[in-house]
Amino acid sequence: SQQGEEDPQALSIQEGENATMNCSYKTSINNLQWYRQNSGRGLVHLILIRSNEREKHSGRLRVTLDTSKKSSSLLITASRAADTASYFCATPTGNQFYFGTGTSLTVIP
Amino acid sequence: NAGVTQTPKFQVLKTGQSMTLQCAQDMNHEYMSWYRQDPGMGLRLIHYSVGAGITDQGEVPNGYNVSRSTTEDFPLRLLSAAPSQTSVYFCATRLATGINQPQHFGDGTRLSIL
């Protein structure tokens, strides 16, 4: 399988703290994408980072990419209860997308 | 603008029954795909289509059929359901122009096979 893996599998933090989750993947990539999934819902696209980029920001999100280590990290700053969700990285290869196993984030109010 | 609509939301089947999961989109996206989500496994691609009349297999295609007669619809068929196909199924779409495009997901069909 070409699936990536997120680490940690589960993360619990207090509101206002930062949350960091990591993704490792197996093949060379053109870009890496992060998605959020709220309980009982479909995935929602958060941010895309291209293989020639090292860091990207979007609001409270910061994504880094290290292609030499085949890894990416997602940082959510000043977390809110509404950030409670599962987060997945995805790597498109040709016409196929490969998703990681996800990090379950719980933000405690 | 509905985006990606999946029906039904829930379904219970008996082993050996057949059914079709529906996916419809109103974004004029060329690319449509089906995933299954199982605990601890993330999402795995079943089948995908890059346009009407064109389909291809993903990572876990066995036991599933698809067809794409229109841009808007991409149904997934289970011909003879098995308990191993108990899962949550998601349809996703994206623009086919270039690989740097995000996917848009429906809210899923939760399927139980007894």
Side-chain angles (χ1 to χ4, degrees):
Chain A
S1 168
Q2 298 187 51
Q3 260 187 340
E5 287 189 5
E6 278 92 345
D7 172 59
Q9 288 188 327
L11 180 61
S12 183
I13 60 174
Q14 296 287 331
E15 200 166 33
E17 293 181 337
N18 295 342
T20 299
M21 52 204 83
N22 304 296
C23 165
S24 61
Y25 57 92
K26 298 182 180 180
T27 64
S28 60
I29 61 171
N30 181 277
N31 68 75
L32 185 143
Q33 304 178 21
W34 284 90
Y35 290 79
R36 184 188 73 233
Q37 184 181 32
N38 291 95
S39 180
R41 302 299 300 273
L43 279 70
V44 175
H45 180 260
L46 294 176
I47 193 166
L48 180 153
I49 186 165
R50 299 179 189 231
S51 59
N52 60 354
E53 298 176 311
R54 291 296 169 259
E55 187 171 311
K56 197 165 183 179
H57 297 254
S58 177
R60 293 184 297 112
L61 305 180
R62 182 174 79 102
V63 170
T64 62
L65 179 64
D66 186 335
T67 54
S68 67
K69 295 181 180 178
K70 291 187 170 58
S71 68
S72 174
S73 67
L74 172 67
L75 168 68
I76 304 173
T77 60
S79 63
R80 306 166 181 170
D83 294 328
T84 293
S86 292
Y87 292 81
F88 295 88
C89 65
T91 53
T93 302
N95 281 318
Q96 304 204 25
F97 269 71
Y98 296 95
F99 283 84
T101 49
T103 292
S104 177
L105 173 65
T106 301
V107 180
I108 303 166
Chain B
N1 219 9
V4 181
T5 302
Q6 290 185 239
T7 55
K9 295 189 184 305
F10 302 93
Q11 184 70 47
V12 179
L13 291 178
K14 293 182 180 178
T15 297
Q17 286 185 317
S18 63
M19 82 160 294
T20 299
L21 281 63
Q22 302 290 346
C23 176
Q25 56 108 352
D26 62 1
M27 296 178 287
N28 204 31
H29 285 174
E30 299 94 339
Y31 182 99
M32 298 185 74
S33 55
W34 278 101
Y35 294 87
R36 59 179 290 172
Q37 184 176 32
D38 302 294
M41 298 291 291
L43 278 80
R44 292 180 292 169
L45 182 65
I46 304 171
H47 285 285
Y48 66 94
S49 169
V50 298
I54 306 168
T55 63
D56 208 343
Q57 296 181 350
E59 191 178 355
V60 288
N62 292 340
Y64 307 95
N65 283 347
V66 293
S67 60
R68 183 95 178 270
S69 56
T70 67
T71 299
E72 293 79 18
D73 299 295
F74 191 42
L76 178 71
R77 298 184 187 87
L78 285 70
L79 296 180
S80 180
S84 61
Q85 294 177 305
T86 293
S87 188
V88 183
Y89 291 85
F90 288 98
C91 179
T93 75
R94 71 173 170 91
L95 286 170
T97 53
I99 201 171
N100 294 318
Q101 295 291 334
Q103 293 201 86
H104 301 261
F105 283 81
D107 277 339
T109 294
R110 283 143 189 84
L111 181 62
S112 292
I113 299 166
L114 307 177

